[in-house]
Amino acid sequence: MSSRIRTRSSATIGALCLVASLASLSLTSASADESAAAPQAAPKVALTKVATGQNPIAGTAGPGGKVWIAERAGTVRVLGAEGLGEPVLDITKETTTDGERGLLGIAFDKKFAHFYISFTNLEGTSTIDEFAMRHGKIQPDTRRTVLTQTQPYSNHNGGDIKFGPDGYLYIAFGDGGSGGDPHGNGQNLDTQLGKLLRIDPRGGKPYAIPKDNPFVKDPKAKDEIWAYGLRNPWRFSFDSGTGDLLIGDVGQSAWEEIDWASARSKGGENYGWSRMEGTHPFRDNTEPANHVRPVHEYDRTGLGCSVTGGFVYRGTAIPDLKGQYVYSDYCDGTIRSLEMKNGKVTGANDLGANGGEVVSFVQGCTGELYVLDIGGTISRIDRA
């Protein structure tokens, strides 16, 4: 977000979700083979309102194929046929909504055995907490803090969390805030700010560092770092079909960018901030020799002002959209997609729908996507 706020538990359930994922992957592979012979069409989608929340800000697929939704003030609720249920977690007394703070991200591990929340506490410190799950329910007495990061300002907190295909927890932190990265955090490997982190939350107390993290042998770098040079990686995701990583990194004043890394990456990518904003030198800086340029960028000559990263579509409801990266912009709200091949964008599409103040996307267990409007509307992306 920009400087102003864009105000699996049981084995059976885990197996069901895995079957659905494998089915989706099989369909994806078939679709990929077909797309090699003919270019993808630009599909049109419709948004179906499924619920209304109080500033819904993040979400994830949960036990039983349900979608769990985080509300910025500190509540987590489960999406059902009648909308959102009563809160299954409430930390409203532990966080604030000043600046860009609040409950910012939620995630389950692959077996739905543990639930993780990412929030800023009352002092503004970014905090990752863990809960054990039992029979699809949070066990409050098992709560523990996994990782914290102090924040010098109330904006650019990042806060998104996801488990990667490797089973490790990835955590996105912004550069610390203010404007223009005044502390130089983006390029400084001795801070977790402006970085994508990778940790093993169950491998140690409070966590373990994966041995193959890119900077573990560098005494001048934080071992947790997976990638750096990020301004405010508000939303990132892994392609459930390929394992590739995509990051929507919010720009400073001129360029919004989407970054990509192959599933085969060993980490260590430098996405350029604050020497670069997209593919453009920032404040007369020179481009780093190891700069990984974005796969897509757009300027602010239109209505866009803050990219909201999404997901590569791997559902079945919209066949023409399969394999395309779906994203939006908080200020513009247009639902868009990128067609990609081998890490290169081959087409950019306007999907013909507007999600309002789009603050996040959610990928359900079967690959269908939901759009969150910070104003309250939760919509499913359907075929037009």
Side-chain angles (χ1 to χ4, degrees), residues 26 41 81 95 105 116 134 146 155 169 181 205 209-210 212 223 236 247 264 266 299 344 355 360 367:
S26 175
T95 187
Y116 296 82
R134 185 180 181 187
V146 177
N155 60 335
L169 180 63
D181 194 9
K205 294 182 179 180
I209 305 292
D212 59 347
D223 293 347
F236 72 95
I247 307 170
R264 297 184 297 275
K266 302 300 182 181
D299 62 30
K344 303 292 183 182
S360 191

Side-chain angles (χ1 to χ4, degrees), residues 18-19 38 60 93 104 137 147 162 224 238 240 248 298 311 347:
L18 179 60
V19 168
T60 187
K93 295 181 179 180
L104 304 176
K137 295 182 178 180
L147 180 147
K162 296 282 192 306
E224 294 87 348
F238 293 93
S240 61
Y298 61 94
F311 292 84

Side-chain angles (χ1 to χ4, degrees), residues 88-338:
V88 296
L89 182 67
D90 187 341
I91 62 162
T92 53
K93 295 181 179 180
E94 303 176 46
T95 187
T96 66
T97 57
D98 60 310
E100 295 178 3
R101 295 169 173 163
L103 176 56
L104 304 176
I106 58 175
F108 284 97
D109 60 18
K110 288 187 173 183
K111 295 183 178 179
F112 299 118
H114 298 90
F115 179 62
Y116 296 82
I117 61 174
S118 171
F119 68 101
T120 52
N121 68 17
L122 294 176
E123 287 72 44
T125 298
S126 290
T127 305
I128 311 298
D129 279 3
E130 174 197 270
F131 298 83
M133 296 287 295
R134 185 180 181 187
H135 303 310
K137 295 182 178 180
I138 294 172
Q139 304 301 298
D141 59 346
T142 67
R143 183 178 181 178
R144 72 181 185 94
T145 295
V146 177
L147 180 147
T148 62
Q149 171 61 54
T150 57
Q151 295 282 354
Y153 304 100
S154 64
N155 60 335
H156 303 183
N157 299 297
D160 201 8
I161 52 176
K162 296 282 192 306
F163 275 87
D166 52 16
Y168 293 130
L169 180 63
Y170 290 72
I171 304 164
F173 285 143
D175 64 8
S178 187
D181 194 9
H183 303 291
N185 290 324
Q187 293 294 306
N188 180 7
L189 292 175
D190 194 31
T191 176
Q192 295 179 350
L193 294 172
K195 311 297 189 297
L196 183 66
L197 311 182
R198 179 188 189 234
I199 65 170
D200 179 359
R202 300 296 299 167
K205 294 182 179 180
Y207 59 88
I209 305 292
K211 294 180 179 180
D212 59 347
N213 269 14
F215 299 106
V216 292
K217 296 181 180 180
D218 185 344
K220 297 181 180 180
K222 295 292 185 183
D223 293 347
E224 294 87 348
I225 296 173
W226 180 255
Y228 67 109
L230 294 162
R231 180 180 177 274
N232 192 23
W234 174 242
R235 292 291 176 246
F236 72 95
S237 66
F238 293 93
D239 182 344
S240 61
T242 66
D244 296 342
L245 168 68
L246 291 118
I247 307 170
D249 194 17
V250 180
Q252 172 67 38
S253 57
W255 296 93
E256 303 298 312
E257 71 180 84
I258 294 170
D259 300 307
W260 175 91
S262 166
R264 297 184 297 275
S265 169
K266 302 300 182 181
E269 287 85 1
N270 177 6
Y271 293 113
W273 178 255
S274 58
R275 290 172 64 178
M276 304 291 291
E277 185 180 10
T279 61
H280 310 269
F282 181 71
R283 291 181 179 168
D284 298 321
N285 276 310
T286 57
E287 184 172 14
N290 64 342
H291 179 216
V292 178
R293 291 190 163 202
V295 293
H296 184 68
E297 65 178 10
Y298 61 94
D299 62 30
R300 294 184 176 179
T301 57
L303 298 177
C305 76
S306 179
V307 65
T308 299
F311 292 84
V312 174
Y313 180 73
R314 297 298 182 187
T316 59
I318 317 171
D320 290 342
L321 190 60
K322 191 174 294 293
Q324 297 188 31
Y325 177 69
V326 180
Y327 71 101
S328 188
D329 185 289
Y330 172 82
C331 296
D332 174 63
T334 302
I335 309 301
R336 304 181 186 275
S337 72
L338 299 177

